[in-house]
Each structure stands twice: as structure tokens, then as C-alpha cells.
Amino acid sequence: MNLDPFKIDIPEEVILELKQKLSSTRWPEKETVDDWSQGVPRAYLAKLCSHWSDNYDWYETQSRLNSINQGLFSIEDMKIHYLEVKSRHQYAKPLLLTHGWPGSFLEFEKIIGPLTDPLEYGLDSTIACHVICPTLPGFGFSGKPGRVGWNVDQVARVWDALMKELGYHTYFAQGGDWGAGVTLSIASQNLGRCQSIHVNMPTAGPTKEAYESPSPEDIQTLKKIEEFQEWGSGYHRQQSTRPQTLGFGLADSPVGQAAWILEKFYEWTDCSGHPENIFSKNELLDNIMLYWLTNSAASSARLYWETFSPSAVFVDRGRVSIPVGVSVFPKEIMAGPRSWSEKHFANICYWNELDRGGHFAALEQPDLFVSEIKKWLTIVG
């Protein structure tokens, strides 16, 4: 077996060093606007970082996470961190969940219980799943690629190998953000084990008809994409072109790392103008800590370079033939109409557009997310 048990064990000196760095931060001046249009407001970030230094307890989080079964999967030159929580129900379906950036496996923490033990949450046992959550290479407690080539297609092949190693000869896969890219690649490669996929970030580009004779929905989506490219894609360009340069700053500054992530938890969530309208301070910091403690600013950003550099090579996608479920949350950053996805998916078995929620759907709206998974699996299972 290429599987080993894993427990998170962060030395106390690492936490002490973090607090020292927070206390010696050199802050820039206040922004010249009264909103988030220039980035994370200094007053808010200073308040959050004060809580981080004085009140936040990493070891409470570490203890909570270590109560979940974790492991390391060794393959080629990489160790992949993963969570695996088995259901007690006899006919539970293996469900592979993949996170994105700037998220982590923590995106799925709230839905593990309802999916693995639905009766305890007043849900039908037919939804029961064995939940497997791998951590992307270069992120969190997974290894960091030491060579080029770790793009979404390579990750998809490794994920399929992980599921086989864990003993799941068939499975279902779900993802958003990079997780959607990996999940779509699993479906495109169609190695025989994945029965169906579900995504909450359908990334199909516009159809020819959307440009030539756009519907109102086409026009709305094209406008949203244009606004994102003009005002929201700076992080994308930086991480796609110079992830190493960015990493030097973020690796040395916890405040910088926090700001880089927090901006997206504001912009991409259905939070009514403030991330703490939907997440607690500790929830935000838990996710930031997975980047800080593992020094993964540069290595996580490198997945963008692997995907968007001129030398990137990918599997010929073609049309995905296995059944596909799609849930579109209103604050998702890149989600086109169903007609855009139909050119890539031969069998869209489930499509639903919800009235609340955003990019980090499972973390923002866990009940809604579980309901969407249930509806999809009911159709394909």
C-alpha cells in the first residue's frame, strides 16, 4: 500500500514566530476610499490580525481536524494529503470532493457529517456517501511539486489512482474552482471508475451564438465576465505569470498572505458586503492558516502557471460523455448559461440555479449544497 496515516502536528515555535511577525508588521497607509474597491480595508485587516494574534487558538483547530481520518498517498514523486470519512450505511456512494484556490479541504468540513451520516441530520439515508477530500499538490499538507507538469490533468490521473488505492472501484466526483477543472478532467479522461461528476463552477466559454445573437442571459454573463477580467483578475494574471515573485512576499508576511486570500472571500461570496456576514473570524483564519503554516503561497499559485503558461499541454477534452450535474450559485464568478455547457457535456442530467450562495458554496451554504448533491446523486446513483 502507498497509504500512510497522517496527523497535523504544528510545533509551538511556529505559532510563536507567527505572532512575532504579526506584532512587527509594517502597515501601509489607509486606502483613499470607504469600500473594498482598492482591496482589503486596512482597519478591517488590522482588527482581524489583532484577533489572530491575541485570541485565535490554532491548536483547537488542529485538534478538531485531527478527529477526522487523514492520510498521505505516495505516488511518483509526490505525497498527497487526503481526508477519508466512511459512512456506516451499506450502500453509501464514494464521493470525491476537490477544493480550489484560495480554499482548502476545509470548504467541505461542514458537509462531511450530513453526507456520511445523514440520519443524524434528519436526512434520508439514500444520500449516504463515503467522503474523500484530497488536498491539491502544492496546497496545505500535500507535497509541493519539484518539477513542471502538475496541471489539472495530472492531478485528475492521481485522484483516480488514489480512489483505486483506497479500494473504490467506482466513484462519483464533485468540485468547484480548480476542483471543477480537476473533476472535468476526470470525466474527460474517463478511465472507467468515475460514474458521474458534479460541478458548482461550470467553466464552459461562450457559444458562437452567444456572440452573434445573444440572449438576455448571454448578455448578462458576458458583461459579468468582462467586469471580472477588467477589475477582478489581477491575482489570476500574477499567479499565472510570476507565482515565484509573488511567493517571496506572501511567504514572509502573514498579513500579506491573509489579505491575498481575504479579498476573494469578500468578492466571491454572497456575503452582503462583508465576509464576516457569513463566516466567523476563526473560519477565515483556519483557511488562511493552512496556507501560512505550510508556506504554500508560491506552490499553490504555481497551478495557475502550469495551466496558463504558453507551454501548457492538456488532454483533448472533447465532449464529456458521462452524466454531469451542475449547481449554479448566484455569486459564482465564472458560470455561463446552460447552453454554454451543452456544447461540452453530452448528458447534463441535473442543472439548477440557486437564489443564494457563492464561489465557496459548500462552506457558505452547506445545507443547500448537501441538497444539491442529494438531487444529483438520486438521478445518477
Side-chain angles (χ1 to χ4, degrees):
M1 291 285 285
N2 296 309
L3 304 173
D4 295 297
F6 177 79
K7 292 288 186 183
I8 304 168
D9 184 17
I10 302 300
E12 186 177 1
E13 57 263 29
V14 174
I15 304 301
L16 293 175
E17 180 191 40
L18 165 64
K19 294 189 178 206
Q20 188 276 327
K21 282 183 172 291
L22 287 170
S23 68
S24 60
T25 297
R26 184 173 72 163
W27 294 87
E29 66 281 359
K30 179 185 180 299
E31 62 281 359
T32 57
V33 293
D34 294 325
D35 55 26
W36 288 62
S37 61
Q38 292 182 356
V40 181
R42 193 182 85 164
Y44 170 62
L45 188 57
K47 183 177 180 180
L48 182 69
C49 289
S50 176
H51 173 81
W52 195 3
S53 178
D54 299 337
N55 304 114
Y56 176 81
D57 185 351
W58 162 254
Y59 292 105
E60 287 185 6
T61 298
Q62 178 172 285
S63 176
R64 187 183 81 240
L65 295 180
N66 279 339
S67 70
I68 304 172
N69 180 54
Q70 302 172 65
L72 292 177
F73 172 48
S74 299
I75 183 169
E76 299 178 10
D77 53 353
M78 184 61 60
K79 289 186 181 293
I80 297 296
H81 169 258
Y82 65 91
L83 311 182
E84 183 191 23
V85 183
K86 285 183 171 288
S87 174
R88 60 189 172 92
H89 294 281
Q90 182 178 359
Y91 299 107
K93 301 174 180 67
L95 179 60
L96 174 67
L97 299 171
T98 307
H99 68 89
W101 182 93
S104 64
F105 65 83
L106 287 174
E107 293 180 50
F108 304 117
E109 186 182 7
K110 294 177 182 177
I111 66 172
I112 291 174
L115 288 175
T116 57
D117 197 3
L119 292 179
E120 285 294 312
Y121 292 81
L123 302 171
D124 193 322
S125 63
T126 58
I127 195 182
C129 296
H130 305 304
V131 172
I132 303 91
C133 301
T135 295
L136 290 168
F139 289 67
F141 299 107
S142 279
K144 299 175 182 180
R147 59 171 176 81
V148 298
W150 279 92
N151 58 30
V152 292
D153 291 335
Q154 171 70 357
V155 174
R157 286 188 287 269
V158 169
W159 270 206
D160 192 78
L162 168 64
M163 295 301 281
K164 181 181 179 181
E165 190 79 5
L166 289 170
Y168 301 112
H169 301 295
T170 61
Y171 64 91
F172 301 83
Q174 197 287 329
D177 195 87
W178 281 118
V182 171
T183 302
L184 291 171
S185 183
I186 289 172
S188 296
Q189 295 183 48
N190 198 9
L191 299 177
R193 281 180 282 274
C194 185
Q195 305 298 292
S196 176
I197 66 166
H198 178 278
V199 295
N200 54 287
M201 184 179 170
T203 53
T207 61
K208 182 180 179 182
E209 292 75 19
Y211 287 119
E212 295 178 350
S213 182
S215 68
E217 194 175 20
D218 290 329
I219 293 171
Q220 181 180 11
T221 308
L222 288 168
K223 182 179 179 182
K224 186 176 180 179
I225 291 173
E226 182 180 356
E227 289 175 351
F228 172 78
Q229 290 174 339
E230 184 173 2
W231 292 104
S233 63
Y235 81 97
H236 192 290
R237 291 293 297 161
Q238 182 67 28
Q239 297 194 155
S240 300
T241 58
R242 299 294 185 272
Q244 191 70 16
T245 303
L246 173 69
F248 290 121
L250 300 187
D252 192 52
S253 170
V255 171
Q257 178 68 90
W260 194 246
I261 291 174
L262 281 169
E263 181 185 286
K264 304 313 172 194
F265 275 78
Y266 160 74
E267 285 189 336
W268 297 350
T269 58
D270 193 7
C271 66
S272 301
H274 199 287
E276 288 185 30
N277 287 334
I278 194 164
F279 304 119
S280 70
K281 287 183 174 66
N282 285 354
E283 283 179 316
L284 293 167
L285 291 170
D286 283 347
N287 185 69
I288 291 165
M289 284 290 274
L290 291 187
Y291 286 81
W292 176 258
L293 294 174
T294 59
N295 192 14
S296 53
S299 55
S300 62
R302 206 167 286 124
L303 183 55
Y304 287 79
W305 184 92
E306 288 282 0
T307 304
F308 298 105
S309 70
S311 60
V313 178
F314 295 96
V315 170
D316 182 7
R317 294 279 192 270
R319 290 193 84 204
V320 170
S321 59
I322 67 173
V324 176
V326 179
S327 299
V328 181
F329 292 81
K331 287 286 285 184
E332 182 53 76
I333 55 174
M334 299 288 281
R338 177 169 179 157
S339 59
W340 295 14
S341 288
E342 285 174 342
K343 68 181 181 180
H344 295 298
F345 305 141
N347 180 10
I348 298 178
C349 65
Y350 179 75
W351 183 283
N352 190 30
E353 298 178 18
L354 294 100
D355 61 1
R356 64 186 185 279
H359 187 70
F360 308 96
L363 187 60
E364 293 179 57
Q365 296 293 340
D367 293 343
L368 279 180
F369 192 87
V370 168
S371 177
E372 290 299 288
I373 295 298
K374 178 181 179 180
K375 292 172 185 175
W376 161 58
L377 288 178
T378 299
I379 293 170
V380 299

